[in-house]
Amino acid sequence: MSTQDLEKNIADLESSALSAIAKADSLENLEQVRLNLLGQKGELTGILRGLSALDKSERPRIGQLANVVKVKIEEAHEARKEALFQSHIDSKLKAEALDVTAPGRIRALGHVHPLSQIREEILSVFYSMGFEVADGPEIESDYYNFDALNTPASHPARDEQDTFYTNLGANVLLRSQTSTVQIRVMEKNPPPLRIVAPGRVYRNEEVNARKYPLFHQVEGLLIDKAVTFGQLKGTLTAFIQALFKKPLKTRFRPDFFPFTEPSAELDSQCPFCNGKGCKTCGGRGWLELLGCGMVDPNVLKGAGIDPEEWSGFAFGMGLERLAMLKYGVNDIRHFYTNDLRFLEQF
Amino acid sequence: MKVSLDWLNSDYVDLSDLSHEQVAEKLTMGAFEVEEVTVHGSDLEGPVVVGEILEIHQHPNADKIRLTRTRVKAGDEPLDIVCGAQNIEVGQIIPVALPGAKVVNRHDGSPLPIKASAIRGVKSNGMLCSAAELGIACDDKFGEGILVLADKDSPKKSGFTLGADARELLQIKPDHIMHVEPRSNRGDALCVAGLAREIAALFNRPLKQPTWNLEQYENKEAKVGTIYSVKLENEEDCPFFSLIPIKGVKVGPSIPEISKRLEAIGVRPVNNVVDITNYVMHELGQPLHAYDAAKLSGSSMGVRRARAGEKLTTLDEKVRELTPEVMLIVDDDTAIGVAGIMGGKDSEISDSTTDIYLEAACFSQAVVRRGSRLLGLSSDASLRFERRVDVASVFHAARRAAYLIAHYCGASGPAQVGKAMMAGSDKVSDVFLTLRLSAVKRLLDIEVTAERVRELLSPLGFKVEAGESGQLKIAVPSFRQADVTREIDLIEEICRLNGYDAIAATMPKGIVCRQAKDDTLVKAQGALVGMGLSEAWCSSLVPASENGINEDYLVQVLNPLSKDHQYLRQSLVPGLVHALAHNLDRGQKKVALFESGRVYFKDWEEPAPDNKSDNRQERSAKLFAKEINRLAAIICQADKQSSEKADFYTMKGVLENLLSGLAISLAADKVNWQAASVPGLHPFRCAALALNRPPKKGSDHSDKVGIFGNPMVLGYVGQIHPSYAHAMGIKEEAFVFEIDLDRIGAERKAAKFSEIANTPSMVRDLTIDFSKEVLEKQNDINHQNIVRLIMRSGSKNLVDVQLVSVYQSEGAAHTYRLTFQNPSETLTGEEVDNLVKEVKSQLTKQLNASFRA
Ligand SMILES: [Zn+2]
């Protein structure tokens, strides 16, 4: 083949190859075009192989010419391949389109009981103030439930009709208050003390929307040197504000409990209306939340703590009452019926 | 207790410039919570004016009705007003309700609007009013006829201006009734005078006293009935008893002032004598009782305990069966009343009574309370005795009542009050307390001076005297000697009267926390909720019929509310089964619940200890029963189409997951699963999880309390027995587990890092065949034993064995995936092959397994 023919072939090949590459409409076609040109038996490969038959003087020039064409074809091929790949991906992605508003595939979570939730919230707040969690038996003696709490045998609270007595002995009952734990803790541990004690208590009361023969309390006790009534006010106000996550005002109303003196009922500014008055607080703007007071010297003495050296305060609150207020539950029996339609709301 | 603001204000403490809200607020913040304030006597509306009757004519069409011409404004033409009352006369000044007014219907107390209307054909332009119609008294018998303000010739007549507002003149204005419940230790404030003392102190105002003088009616010679002495069985039951004879009363309705006050606080007027005993009880807090002297025949009245079987008909006309726990008033020996609670029917005051005995006494709080509970009978009197009456004030109240009876109930002129008979003593010795001002400062963190203490406490009857430096000597009044006995009680009074608000809120100093919060329960809740279970709280008081109750160790309530709340539970499972049934009944398809809580057993190690031990350490260490913390769960899938299955292995998986989450090792060298038998569960679908070795502490072993009697058992998992499910109305298969949280808590291990091996691991699948014959002969072929044998014979380089599948036809084929790895060097294929060979040979030797070629 003459040099001129060869040059023409190369030029023809360039234009036909570029047009074939441009026409390839799929990655498969493009690959076939590439093989036809650049494969082992490809046209350009054949031409390059034929160079050896040329005159030595012509070889570098034609060779360079062929190489330039080869690079051009390769570049065109790469560009075309890239474009085809992109459009392939695009159409594949399009085919994979989802209804993103359709629901997620879940395994339903369960729900923690509202009384557990409120108990945990209360304990966490007090834990952050340095109170330890303490525990005591529900089956108690009248000593811990009454005598040690400065409640003499003649006190109306000791009427048999209010307390459940057991077959374990004339003096063994189901505790009617978690205050029992105060005494057991004080007897076992030297002051200073800071404890909170959650637990179940029992009272012999007819079942209705507000009352159930068992319910739950959280009791607290702080004993230290120079504990004052002002510290009681400060601690419980901080607690209320942390529990409701609002800077609520509190009001301490004088009351009477046998085991604290002075005693108080703590009213919180209603967190639902910020004190303006609403259904929850009966329009009063205040909610009665817990009972508290300075530990009576008789109680300290009975537990072996010198009331001239130490002083302290105690408080107690009902979980059901707080949960009913917080969640707007109108019937205490919901807490023990365990209807999923109730539990799943929390 | 209901207290009339009007009564307080007019007799005891001037509150006229204060609103009822202000008084209620002050009382509430002063330890006397006002639960409610109601309005009494506000029924009167519109024009009610002063008028004068100018003429009276017979009604042309009716006998009993007359026609008046009444002037209601000077200079105006008189109005025609029809009137049915018989007591009207020309020239009288009377109250007139004009059209547009609303008065009280004297028959039923309902509002009665006044209109100009025709009565039997004669026009009437208003109404002449009786006391009842003005709401002064509720019943017409107290205000028979028109209320005459002034008679024709009365010199008072000139003081009236025709047309003036009659309400203002008669001071008919609404009264506010406060509902106050004094605390149980404040019996002294359970009356108008006592509460007035508190109000006077809280507002720092003077306390007034009504004035009266009994001497003028006393006649030591006045003879009444047969009784001439009083006597007491013992002075513990009744420290003081007094009886005042009163001669010459006429029983009838009370004066409006008294009946109005009683009605305002919800006490029904009975007759003038009984009303006065009630009146003085509400005024001074001292219960009183009046006997018809003619109905008694003994020579002495006394107090004694009842004899067993004795009977008495009380004022409420019920026959009371008495016991020696009840105290009686006796006429010689005949019971005439239950002391401190209720009088007897036979000696009550009637319309024909002329001479009476007025009893006032102080009875034991405890005896009255016990008697009241025993008889199921409580009264305003028993309520007050239970809260304590002040023995030193008894006779004062008796004299007050005697004065009122003599003054208002005399038959002709005042009645005569005879010589009082008394037994016991009403003397109270002085009680002095020492108050250190430093103690006030120490507890309340407020500075008070001796002068301030005197200012605060004197109005309540305390006498404050200066003592040593910084100390005050304080005399406690008799009526506070029960609740103020120590320095701290005085500090409380100072705190209360000075105001709780006056103490600034501060924070305690220092931090005390010895122990981190136990997170076992919170972790468990998190894990179970994550697996789709919701938390239940069930009752720990259960019926006797509850499944799985062990009678020997049962804690029983002796005075249960009902049969459903008679025993303390011994397992959490029955409560969850109830909850499951409840939810299935209400159409739930999938129910998954758990509960953590206590179960209760009578102590099987030692008898209940005597709690009167004086050693505090010993006493507080002793418990009366075993209270064990458990956690249980139940799942049930009623929807057969659902992809979320619930079977035995689902439940076992939940339990294993939970335990892993609590860092309990389930490795074969720590724990094992055993087929188990638990009452209420499927006999072939129940397994117990137990420790391989006994725990370090806890030897509380008793087979009688069931599966947990073995201290190594951590819990069990199983299916509810179909017959138990059936009895509960549950048609589906339900699965439960129950674990001992105390034991679990003790086994929890802190996480510990072990080096991660970098050498490659090699995996071999091994299918083990057991022929039908082998399976029949050997009952120890189960997953747990196969895995244990593989692990034992696979050397320490066998690091994991997983069950891939079990195929059962004639025999059984178990496929396991074995993972080998040596952390320090790479194992060769040959080494692994040899290990597998050893595993196979042990399986063949010990379990008669065979292997395919
Ligand atoms: Zn509110």
Side-chain angles (χ1 to χ4, degrees):
Chain A
M1 195 186 286
S2 74
T3 309
Q4 288 89 347
D5 285 346
L6 198 53
E7 280 180 65
K8 186 175 183 300
N9 278 357
I10 289 170
D12 287 349
L13 183 64
E14 182 186 349
S15 67
S16 72
L18 292 179
S19 123
I21 285 169
K23 275 188 205 144
D25 58 359
S26 72
L27 287 169
E28 290 77 22
N29 283 349
L30 183 65
E31 180 63 6
Q32 197 54 55
V33 171
R34 190 188 70 83
L35 288 174
N36 291 344
L37 291 167
L38 302 170
Q40 294 271 313
K41 292 172 184 166
E43 287 178 68
L44 190 58
T45 316
I47 288 171
L48 289 169
R49 221 174 263 143
L51 288 179
S52 56
L54 288 180
D55 187 273
K56 256 189 182 166
S57 63
E58 292 284 35
R59 238 185 267 166
R61 192 177 62 81
I62 301 297
Q64 201 186 358
L65 190 70
N67 262 325
V68 167
V69 170
K70 188 186 174 198
V71 169
K72 270 190 187 165
I73 290 173
E74 277 171 351
E75 279 172 0
H77 168 259
E78 275 308 311
R80 184 64 186 153
K81 189 176 164 191
E82 183 63 34
L84 284 174
F85 186 73
Q86 197 54 52
S87 83
H88 167 76
I89 289 284
D90 287 350
S91 63
K92 183 163 187 278
L93 290 178
K94 200 167 179 192
E96 287 171 356
L98 293 179
D99 177 357
V100 294
T101 67
R105 192 176 299 116
I106 54 163
R107 194 188 160 124
L109 290 177
H111 298 261
V112 175
H113 196 281
L115 293 178
S116 278
Q117 294 191 27
I118 202 132
R119 179 182 62 195
E120 252 342 275
E121 286 174 39
I122 293 166
L123 295 184
S124 299
V125 174
F126 283 112
Y127 187 65
S128 73
M129 293 199 274
F131 286 74
E132 276 174 50
V133 178
D135 198 10
E138 291 167 25
I139 298 167
E140 262 295 5
S141 66
D142 54 1
Y143 178 79
Y144 286 104
N145 202 64
F146 294 125
D147 298 87
L149 290 164
N150 200 30
T151 313
S154 61
H155 197 276
R158 291 188 71 154
D159 273 348
E160 185 179 312
Q161 59 188 25
D162 300 329
T163 310
F164 288 123
Y165 284 84
T166 72
N167 60 335
L168 302 183
N171 59 330
V172 182
L173 44 78
L174 303 185
R175 68 175 174 196
S176 61
Q177 49 194 358
T178 43
S179 312
T180 53
V181 184
Q182 284 181 29
I183 308 299
R184 285 184 175 269
V185 167
M186 283 193 281
E187 285 186 341
K188 267 190 218 151
N189 306 282
L193 291 168
R194 284 187 196 201
I195 56 132
V196 270
R200 181 168 286 192
V201 300
Y202 300 83
R203 298 217 184 137
N204 198 345
E205 294 177 319
E206 283 299 328
V207 179
N208 62 35
R210 295 262 137 200
K211 284 179 177 168
Y212 202 73
L214 55 91
F215 58 99
H216 303 83
Q217 292 181 328
V218 174
E219 186 79 11
L221 175 74
L222 184 148
I223 306 282
D224 210 330
K225 296 198 171 173
V227 175
T228 65
F229 193 84
Q231 292 172 3
L232 159 73
K233 288 179 70 175
T235 303
L236 293 178
T237 301
F239 161 69
I240 294 297
Q241 294 179 345
L243 186 69
F244 290 103
K245 301 176 181 71
K246 278 186 180 182
L248 297 169
K249 287 201 185 78
T250 54
R251 175 172 95 165
F252 291 77
R253 218 161 12 85
D255 203 335
F256 169 74
F257 308 113
F259 40 94
T260 51
E261 189 159 17
S263 305
E265 216 39 85
L266 187 163
D267 292 343
S268 159
Q269 199 181 30
C270 174
F272 306 101
C273 61
N274 294 320
K276 286 184 203 74
C278 67
K279 213 176 135 213
T280 306
C281 59
R284 284 184 291 268
W286 293 99
L287 287 177
E288 186 179 316
L289 291 185
L290 57 88
C292 55
M294 301 299 289
V295 181
D296 193 289
N298 282 356
V299 173
L300 292 174
K301 254 183 264 171
I305 294 174
D306 180 2
E308 290 296 318
E309 188 183 353
W310 303 92
S311 55
F313 60 77
F315 51 89
M317 63 196 92
L319 285 187
E320 278 82 353
R321 178 174 168 74
L322 287 173
M324 286 171 93
L325 284 173
K326 180 165 180 182
Y327 304 120
V329 175
N330 55 9
D331 191 325
I332 198 168
R333 288 167 290 198
H334 282 307
F335 292 122
Y336 321 107
T337 309
N338 301 307
D339 193 310
L340 283 167
R341 294 166 300 177
F342 173 78
L343 297 174
E344 284 168 0
Q345 295 181 32
F346 301 95
Chain B
M1 175 178 68
K2 291 183 189 171
V3 180
S4 149
L5 200 58
D6 185 44
W7 192 344
L8 279 168
N9 177 56
S10 39
D11 287 12
Y12 283 97
V13 54
D14 186 356
L15 302 169
S16 51
D17 57 328
L18 298 171
S19 71
H20 64 89
E21 288 95 345
Q22 283 171 308
V23 177
E25 170 77 8
K26 197 75 165 180
L27 273 173
T28 295
M29 295 309 288
F32 295 91
E33 189 181 1
V34 177
E35 285 153 4
E36 197 187 356
V37 178
T38 51
V39 184
H40 180 80
S42 64
D43 306 331
L44 223 49
E45 280 176 28
V48 181
V49 300
V50 173
E52 181 181 6
I53 303 173
L54 300 183
E55 298 165 31
I56 300 178
H57 307 283
Q58 197 53 45
H59 192 287
N61 309 323
D63 289 347
K64 294 202 170 156
I65 307 179
R66 288 185 286 173
L67 181 61
T68 72
R69 289 192 42 88
T70 300
R71 176 170 283 153
V72 295
K73 193 170 178 198
D76 274 14
E77 189 63 14
L79 302 174
D80 289 333
I81 298 178
V82 170
C83 180
Q86 300 309 303
N87 68 329
I88 51 171
E89 287 169 27
V90 171
Q92 283 171 336
I93 300 291
I94 38 76
V96 185
L98 299 175
K102 223 180 249 175
V103 297
V104 182
N105 184 328
R106 66 191 156 98
H107 301 297
D108 57 10
S110 65
L112 178 67
I114 304 299
K115 297 185 287 242
S117 60
I119 295 174
R120 300 250 181 137
V122 176
K123 190 143 194 249
S124 181
N125 294 304
M127 187 168 105
L128 310 188
C129 298
S130 69
E133 282 152 348
L134 294 177
I136 300 176
C138 82
D139 196 315
D140 208 25
K141 95 176 157 182
F142 297 106
E144 196 87 54
I146 301 307
L147 180 67
V148 179
L149 300 173
D151 274 320
K152 184 180 170 204
D153 302 320
S154 167
K156 286 195 295 183
K157 193 172 159 180
S158 60
F160 291 95
T161 312
L162 297 188
D165 190 334
R167 270 170 307 190
E168 214 165 277
L169 202 70
L170 292 167
Q171 294 200 313
I172 302 171
K173 56 177 183 199
D175 188 7
H176 290 92
I177 308 302
M178 298 187 293
H179 301 235
V180 193
E181 224 35 78
R183 299 301 160 186
S184 57
N185 63 342
R186 292 300 308 273
D188 66 289
L190 211 55
C191 60
V192 177
L195 203 64
R197 186 165 49 229
E198 293 291 330
I199 294 174
L202 289 166
F203 280 109
N204 195 19
R205 292 181 176 207
L207 189 63
K208 303 186 283 182
Q209 295 291 344
T211 49
W212 50 278
N213 170 9
L214 179 62
E215 279 86 26
Q216 57 182 317
Y217 306 134
E218 278 181 316
N219 174 5
K220 298 264 187 296
E221 307 307 316
K223 283 280 163 286
V224 166
T226 57
I227 288 175
Y228 64 85
S229 74
V230 290
K231 60 182 182 200
L232 301 173
E233 191 176 66
N234 70 67
E235 293 188 13
E236 268 116 69
D237 282 2
C238 176
F240 178 72
F241 187 90
S242 72
L243 200 63
I244 300 180
I246 303 174
K247 191 177 178 64
V249 302
K250 176 167 177 12
V251 176
S254 284
I255 58 163
E257 285 81 357
I258 286 180
S259 53
K260 189 183 152 195
R261 283 186 172 177
L262 290 177
E263 277 166 14
I265 57 170
V267 177
R268 188 179 55 89
V270 181
N271 59 50
N272 50 2
V273 173
V274 172
D275 289 352
I276 284 169
T277 62
N278 283 331
Y279 182 88
V280 174
M281 173 172 69
H282 285 96
E283 182 183 36
L284 301 177
Q286 171 64 46
L288 300 156
H289 191 73
Y291 300 89
D292 184 339
K295 292 177 183 166
L296 303 180
S297 56
S299 61
S300 108
M301 190 183 285
V303 180
R304 67 157 169 88
R305 294 293 187 101
R307 290 185 272 271
E310 213 169 343
K311 286 195 176 84
L312 173 71
T313 305
T314 41
L315 276 174
D316 54 5
E317 308 195 5
K318 288 198 176 111
V319 179
R320 305 284 172 176
E321 200 60 74
L322 308 169
T323 76
E325 300 210 68
V326 177
M327 220 176 350
L328 295 178
I329 307 293
V330 289
D331 169 22
D332 277 349
D333 191 53
T334 314
I336 52 171
V338 182
I341 304 177
M342 194 176 276
K345 184 77 189 155
D346 294 342
S347 55
E348 80 174 318
I349 302 295
S350 71
D351 288 350
S352 58
T353 302
T354 59
D355 297 348
I356 63 172
Y357 291 117
L358 179 67
E359 169 211 305
C362 175
F363 298 113
S364 148
Q365 287 173 266
V367 179
V368 171
R369 180 182 310 120
R370 215 166 322 127
S372 166
R373 298 288 177 282
L374 223 67
L375 296 175
L377 177 64
S378 76
S379 60
D380 280 336
S382 68
L383 178 77
R384 284 172 171 79
F385 283 118
E386 284 180 32
R387 301 281 179 92
R388 183 181 184 265
V389 306
D390 174 28
V391 69
S393 314
V394 172
F395 200 56
H396 171 75
R399 287 172 60 81
R400 166 83 169 139
Y403 163 80
L404 291 173
I405 292 171
H407 190 78
Y408 290 113
C409 311
S412 52
Q416 294 178 52
V417 177
K419 188 168 184 295
M421 296 168 264
M422 286 183 250
S425 165
D426 63 350
K427 296 284 170 291
V428 172
S429 33
D430 288 341
V431 171
F432 289 98
L433 296 177
T434 302
L435 175 73
R436 295 165 297 168
L437 295 177
S438 61
V440 179
K441 166 80 179 153
R442 186 170 85 93
L443 283 180
L444 305 183
D445 200 16
I446 50 170
E447 303 281 358
V448 288
T449 59
E451 197 35 54
R452 179 66 178 149
V453 171
R454 186 171 295 117
E455 213 173 277
L456 292 171
L457 294 182
S458 304
L460 293 184
F462 293 86
K463 291 200 184 65
V464 180
E465 299 166 19
E468 309 275 300
S469 61
Q471 296 197 350
L472 302 175
K473 196 175 157 199
I474 296 178
V476 182
S478 60
F479 49 85
R480 295 299 300 277
Q481 284 179 6
D483 78 298
V484 180
T485 59
R486 301 168 299 159
E487 181 184 52
I488 187 70
D489 302 323
L490 291 171
I491 294 175
E492 179 184 47
E493 285 300 277
I494 290 167
C495 187
R496 177 170 77 89
L497 294 163
N498 193 51
Y500 281 22
D501 286 345
I503 296 172
T506 58
M507 286 303 278
K509 296 167 188 68
I511 294 287
V512 185
C513 190
R514 297 176 171 92
Q515 212 182 335
K517 221 162 75 178
D518 177 26
D519 65 349
T520 305
L521 184 55
V522 172
K523 277 237 158 81
Q525 282 170 335
L528 291 167
V529 164
M531 289 186 274
L533 287 85
S534 288
E535 190 185 15
W537 283 36
C538 300
S539 172
S540 41
L541 293 169
V542 296
S545 57
E546 203 73 77
N547 209 294
I549 286 278
N550 181 306
E551 306 242 337
D552 293 339
Y553 298 106
L554 201 55
V555 180
Q556 185 182 350
V557 174
L558 297 178
N559 54 333
L561 194 62
S562 74
K563 285 209 159 85
D564 289 341
H565 300 98
Q566 207 170 353
Y567 298 96
L568 283 151
R569 66 182 172 192
Q570 295 180 331
S571 163
L572 302 183
V573 169
L576 290 176
V577 171
H578 273 288
L580 169 63
H582 171 92
N583 280 294
L584 290 175
D585 265 2
R586 279 149 189 84
Q588 295 286 351
K589 288 295 175 208
K590 176 165 188 213
V591 179
L593 292 168
F594 72 96
E595 183 187 13
S596 76
R598 293 186 189 183
V599 296
Y600 312 81
F601 295 90
K602 200 158 135 182
D603 204 318
W604 51 82
E605 286 176 327
E606 46 187 338
D610 170 22
N611 76 311
K612 301 292 181 196
S613 161
D614 284 335
N615 182 324
R616 288 186 196 97
Q617 294 292 328
E618 220 170 83
R619 186 172 58 207
S620 63
K622 281 184 178 173
L623 300 175
F624 299 89
K626 298 251 183 227
E627 296 185 29
I628 298 162
N629 289 298
R630 296 250 183 98
L631 185 131
I634 195 163
I635 54 171
C636 178
Q637 175 59 275
D639 182 1
K640 292 283 169 280
Q641 259 71 60
S642 169
S643 59
E644 281 185 62
K645 282 211 299 185
D647 61 13
F648 177 85
Y649 294 110
T650 312
M651 200 64 197
K652 195 175 173 207
V654 169
L655 176 56
E656 288 172 325
N657 232 349
L658 167 67
L659 294 175
S660 305
L662 291 175
I664 300 296
S665 169
L666 294 175
D669 59 335
K670 292 281 191 300
V671 297
N672 62 78
W673 290 97
Q674 302 153 5
S677 157
V678 171
L681 296 194
H682 192 302
F684 299 103
R685 290 183 174 182
C686 177
L689 175 67
L691 296 167
N692 292 346
R693 282 172 292 278
K696 280 191 201 81
K697 58 172 198 165
S699 59
D700 46 353
H701 182 95
S702 172
D703 291 337
K704 291 194 183 155
V705 299
I707 192 160
F708 285 102
N710 176 352
M712 290 190 286
V713 168
L714 297 178
Y716 62 84
V717 54
Q719 181 182 339
I720 294 293
H721 196 292
S723 56
Y724 180 19
H726 179 77
M728 295 295 300
I730 298 167
K731 295 188 191 72
E732 318 297 332
E733 291 184 345
F735 301 88
V736 294
F737 73 69
E738 184 170 33
I739 56 176
D740 184 318
L741 265 193
D742 298 332
R743 291 178 190 172
I744 298 285
E747 293 301 319
R748 289 182 67 191
K749 294 278 180 307
K752 195 159 181 292
F753 173 73
S754 57
E755 192 58 57
I756 298 163
N758 280 319
T759 53
S761 59
M762 295 181 87
V763 171
R764 293 283 192 278
D765 281 1
L766 181 64
T767 297
I768 311 162
D769 288 313
F770 296 100
S771 67
K772 193 180 165 199
E773 295 72 38
V774 167
L775 287 175
E776 275 168 5
K777 221 164 47 200
Q778 268 182 279
N779 58 11
D780 57 347
I781 293 174
N782 62 35
H783 166 77
Q784 181 169 269
N785 286 338
I786 294 168
V787 170
R788 290 187 156 198
L789 185 53
I790 294 174
M791 287 302 289
R792 262 207 312 277
S793 41
S795 90
K796 66 180 195 327
N797 290 333
L798 173 57
V799 294
D800 188 42
V801 179
Q802 291 294 331
L803 178 64
V804 177
S805 68
V806 177
Y807 177 76
Q808 269 164 325
S809 57
E810 286 288 277
H814 294 235
T815 301
Y816 288 91
R817 179 157 297 160
L818 282 54
T819 306
F820 295 90
Q821 188 178 36
N822 180 335
S824 47
E825 59 182 50
T826 303
L827 292 170
T828 65
E830 199 180 336
E831 282 170 314
V832 172
D833 289 343
N834 284 336
L835 290 173
V836 172
K837 204 184 272 172
E838 175 58 19
V839 168
K840 284 179 167 174
S841 98
Q842 288 298 327
L843 284 166
T844 307
K845 207 160 99 191
Q846 299 198 25
L847 294 177
N848 290 310
S850 54
F851 299 90
R852 292 163 212 190

